[in-house]
Amino acid sequence: MPVKVLLPTVLQRLTNNEVEVQAEGGTVREVVDDLERRYPGLKERLCDETGRLRRFVNIYVNNEDIRHLANEETPLKEGDEVSVVPSIAGGASPPGAQRE
Amino acid sequence: MSCVRGLRCKECGRDYPIAAVYVCEFCFGPLEVQYNYEQAAQSMTRDAIAARPRNLWRYRELLPLDGEPTDGLQSGFTPFIRAHNLARELGVRDLYIKNDGVNFPTLSYKDRVVPVAIAKAKELGFDTVGCASTGNLANAVAAHGARAGLRRYIFIPTGLEAGKVMGTLVYQPTLVAVEGNYDDVNRLCSEITNKYHWAFVNVNMRPYYTEGAKTYGFEVGEQLGWRAPDNLVCPVAGGTILPKIWKSFHELERLGLIPSVRTRMFAAQAATCAPVVTAVHRGSDIIPPMKPAPLAESVDTSLRIGNPADGPYVVQAVRQSDGWAEMATNEEIIAAMQLLARTEGIWTETAGGTTLAVAKKLIEQGRIRRDETTVICITGNGLKTLEAVRERLGKPIPIAATLAAFEERVLGA
Ligand SMILES: Cc1ncc(COP(=O)(O)O)c(C=O)c1O
Ligand SMILES: [Zn+2]
């Protein structure tokens, strides 16, 4: 499932300064794994050791916060837009905490 | 003479040089300005401060600028008044209002944070500034940016009060009304920041911008006769000002300018959008993003942020200080706006109504003790939210221009 991913400046060093990249996956989790294949090192920026999204990472699918959807399991369809935004632009939850 | 050492990640402690960066590359945590306090203490004495101009740069050792400030020279140092009438009405002994509703030039606390962000943006070489705003910030960026000769892209949600929209447009920035609420605007501004080399005051300038909010607390400390209050009640939207006031008291203490801080910090939000209050009540550090109640059901729009950037730091300051958080209903907000006007002659906007309504509630709950010193943070001006009170104020008495009409219609003779 090809989707478009928007990345924040702090990650663009890993993507040759690309702001918008393509990735594949049927869920947000799969897209994160695919990004890691394409841009090694990217996943550890987004996720902690247990594979959960970090406290200060917000992800939006078609402009909706995935915490209002199905979190990392949010399903994706072709052409969806996934945006990764530092939580400075919105709230945060502590490490390991439930992302409600 | 700058006392700035650099930036540090608030979460993992990694250090970064001063630049237009705002999150940690490794953990995405927010970055905060670090100072050399020993150096600051040498020049920042009570006498030295007293001799300085009455503006926000009075405390400049603890603000993140390298050169001489040229922005906001009339901003800050707002009135601090002992509110005798309101104190009597609420049944407390020692009550103060810090009134940023008359901050210069755009009548809100945002006249503190914006000059600092704009001054820093100029030092970093930007020619364009922007912001995501619930209204007051838009006014401040439009005005301060105009004077600084910068291009301005300002983003607000649709449906704001006319006063806030016109109070931005008059300075002729590019004003963009985004479909959706503030949280949508904020996300969009983050995405724009990634692509365009602009200084968004509350996105990539955020480490500098937020430091400007400390000046509210520095002034409270100084105006109270160099001490911190027992209680402070503060409105919360994105969560900038409350933790920065808390920080400012500790910085004053660290420099030996005030005795040790025992202040309890109280957070105020409107019931129509209260993610931080909800977290405090649940005893949780987690602030689940919340969808605000529909605009048509919300008297307040200034504090209408469902996904507050610095919400976790508000919860932390409230907890560390043994404070609390409460919310106010639409009715309570409007009643409190009228109460402040009637008792102290101060017309505040809905954010101020929220704060006073919450203060009243906390006093009734016994969480704010009646014999202690309490500061209520009034951060905005009532002229910007006419819509909130329009139907509540009655009408002037219409009469013909004759003495008889006056006596009959007004005096009821
Ligand atoms: C009048 C007024 N007071 C207080 C605030 C609180 O802001 P924050 O919690 O983001 O510092 C705002 C935010 O827009 C405001 O407009
Ligand atoms: Zn970090």
Side-chain angles (χ1 to χ4, degrees), chain B residues 9-14 16 23-31:
Chain B
C9 173
K10 278 176 95 155
E11 295 300 310
C12 77
R14 276 191 176 82
Y16 293 85
V23 288
C24 175
E25 283 185 25
F26 293 89
C27 77
F28 274 57
L31 303 183

Side-chain angles (χ1 to χ4, degrees), chain A residues 13 55-56 64 83 88 90-91, chain B residues 11 25 191 194 291 307 309:
Chain A
R13 240 178 260 201
R55 173 181 180 185
F56 288 97
E64 182 66 272
S83 183
I88 202 78
Chain B
E11 295 300 310
E25 283 185 25
E191 291 168 353
N194 293 333
K291 302 256 183 203
N307 196 5

Side-chain angles (χ1 to χ4, degrees), chain A residues 28-72:
Chain A
V28 169
R29 184 187 304 283
E30 288 172 17
V31 162
V32 170
D33 288 336
D34 187 51
L35 284 172
E36 172 67 19
R37 278 188 287 276
R38 292 165 192 250
Y39 309 103
L42 205 142
K43 184 173 179 181
E44 70 163 351
R45 299 294 180 84
L46 299 179
C47 301
D48 62 19
E49 311 76 55
T50 70
R52 302 196 70 120
L53 282 175
R54 287 185 187 277
R55 173 181 180 185
F56 288 97
V57 175
N58 290 352
I59 295 188
Y60 298 81
V61 172
N62 300 331
N63 304 336
E64 182 66 272
D65 192 322
I66 60 169
R67 289 170 293 186
H68 293 307
L69 303 168
N71 293 312
E72 286 99 316

Side-chain angles (χ1 to χ4, degrees), chain B residues 16 35 38 57 73 85 149 165 186 207 263 274 328 341 368 377 379 409:
Chain B
Y16 293 85
Y35 299 93
E38 290 68 41
W57 301 108
L73 297 181
N85 299 335
V165 175
N186 202 24
T263 311
I368 288 181
C377 299
T379 52
R409 309 270 321 225

